[in-house]
Amino acid sequence: MIPLPESVRLTVREASEFQDASLLKRAYEDVLFSLKGPPDERVGRDILVLCAEAALKVGATAIAADVLEIYFLEANKFWTDDANIGQVELKDQFVCRALYARALVRSEAAKGLKGEALVVGVGDALKGLLEGLAMALSDQRYMFLVYDASVHYWSISRPLQKPGTRKYLVEASTAITQALQKVSGHEEWKTHNLRLHALCLSDGGKIDDAIKTASDAYELCKTSAPCLVPLLVRLKSHISSLSGKKDTAGEGVEG
């Protein structure tokens, strides 16, 4: 007979692969059951994170929030012996992934909000995402999670990716674009992120920085994603017009 933790792991994997909400609910119930049992039947912290990620995939945000709460309670436990007491310090990829997942849960909670409440809600989610990103950047073993952070960033920040609210994304877009420079490849994706960053800087009144970022995106896409050249030429011209400067870098480029 398969041990309960391994059985839960398999169920979570299937629920995620087939995006099956009923399988996910069963896995969640098994998780809760296992946590009431003896140590050898308790699921590990990694399974809690995998369950949260699967729950987000099938739209079960409440389940994701609950297992993440359990995860962070488990992660913040204290150890003690006859003479000392201390807090368990976790540093692995699942801590980073748990922070990402919690950011996505917060992002879901911000949906439907408007005005200042939306800005605060999205900002809270992005703060959690950047916490996870900082951990990913702290260890070469977790660099593969930097790309994941950039994907989550686009999802979380989308409600503010509009004129007038992009300025609230400057801090996060700065962190994401700088982090992506440390990852090899993904040149077209980096170009898209630089383009968004330029728009955020422009919206925040940082026109010179926006022009430089748009120029960096233009130079990057010339060889890696030529299909984006016309888009970047228009972006550079638009931002330059805001400063009263004439942009000539894109002249002669057909699009």
Side-chain angles (χ1 to χ4, degrees):
M1 184 175 179
I2 301 177
L4 181 57
E6 188 59 29
S7 174
V8 174
R9 185 189 299 276
L10 292 173
T11 305
V12 167
R13 183 183 302 163
E14 289 183 8
S16 178
E17 182 178 351
F18 300 108
Q19 297 193 25
D20 189 319
S22 61
L23 267 180
L24 189 280
K25 186 173 184 297
R26 192 177 83 191
Y28 169 63
E29 291 170 348
D30 287 344
V31 164
L32 297 181
F33 178 78
S34 80
L35 294 175
K36 297 175 183 177
D40 62 329
E41 291 187 3
R42 289 171 61 89
V43 297
R45 285 185 288 261
D46 60 331
I47 294 181
L48 293 174
V49 177
L50 293 172
C51 185
E53 291 174 339
L56 287 166
K57 274 190 176 183
V58 303
T61 308
I63 290 178
D66 191 41
V67 292
L68 286 170
E69 182 177 358
I70 295 170
Y71 172 84
F72 285 107
L73 284 173
E74 292 282 317
N76 290 314
K77 281 186 174 179
F78 286 81
W79 58 265
T80 184
D81 56 30
D82 292 338
N84 301 289
I85 186 171
Q87 189 171 12
V88 175
E89 183 178 359
L90 294 181
K91 186 179 179 183
D92 58 32
Q93 65 163 294
F94 289 101
V95 180
C96 182
R97 289 165 64 173
L99 290 167
Y100 288 174
R102 187 165 65 178
L104 292 171
V105 169
R106 291 173 178 173
S107 175
E108 286 296 315
K111 288 185 176 178
L113 299 178
K114 298 182 182 299
E116 184 179 353
L118 176 63
V119 173
V120 171
V122 172
D124 187 44
L126 289 174
K127 182 179 178 181
L129 179 70
L130 295 186
E131 187 180 353
L133 175 62
M135 177 164 286
L137 290 169
S138 71
D139 194 312
Q140 192 65 32
R141 292 175 299 171
Y142 312 139
M143 287 300 290
F144 70 96
L145 291 170
V146 170
Y147 177 83
D148 292 353
S150 69
V151 174
H152 295 322
Y153 166 68
W154 275 74
S155 172
I156 293 171
S157 68
R158 192 169 301 280
L160 300 184
Q161 290 181 22
K162 302 172 184 177
T165 55
R166 290 193 192 104
K167 60 187 176 185
Y168 299 112
L169 299 175
V170 170
E171 180 183 356
S173 66
T174 299
I176 292 294
T177 52
Q178 289 178 348
L180 280 174
Q181 299 313 307
K182 300 180 181 181
V183 178
S184 61
H186 307 292
E187 304 306 303
E188 184 172 345
W189 179 239
K190 290 176 182 177
T191 299
H192 281 297
N193 278 273
L194 284 169
R195 173 180 172 274
L196 176 57
H197 185 39
L199 288 169
C200 294
L201 290 167
S202 174
D203 200 63
K206 300 182 177 183
I207 304 301
D208 288 342
D209 289 340
I211 291 173
K212 181 182 183 308
T213 301
S215 296
D216 290 344
Y218 170 75
E219 292 300 324
L220 182 62
C221 77
K222 281 198 299 185
T223 55
S224 62
C227 61
L228 296 178
V229 166
L231 182 64
L232 269 300
V233 169
R234 291 194 296 271
L235 176 65
K236 289 180 64 187
S237 296
H238 168 68
I239 296 176
S240 295
S241 71
L242 297 178
S243 67
K245 299 177 181 178
K246 177 177 173 59
D247 175 53
T248 59
E251 290 182 0
V253 178
E254 295 183 0

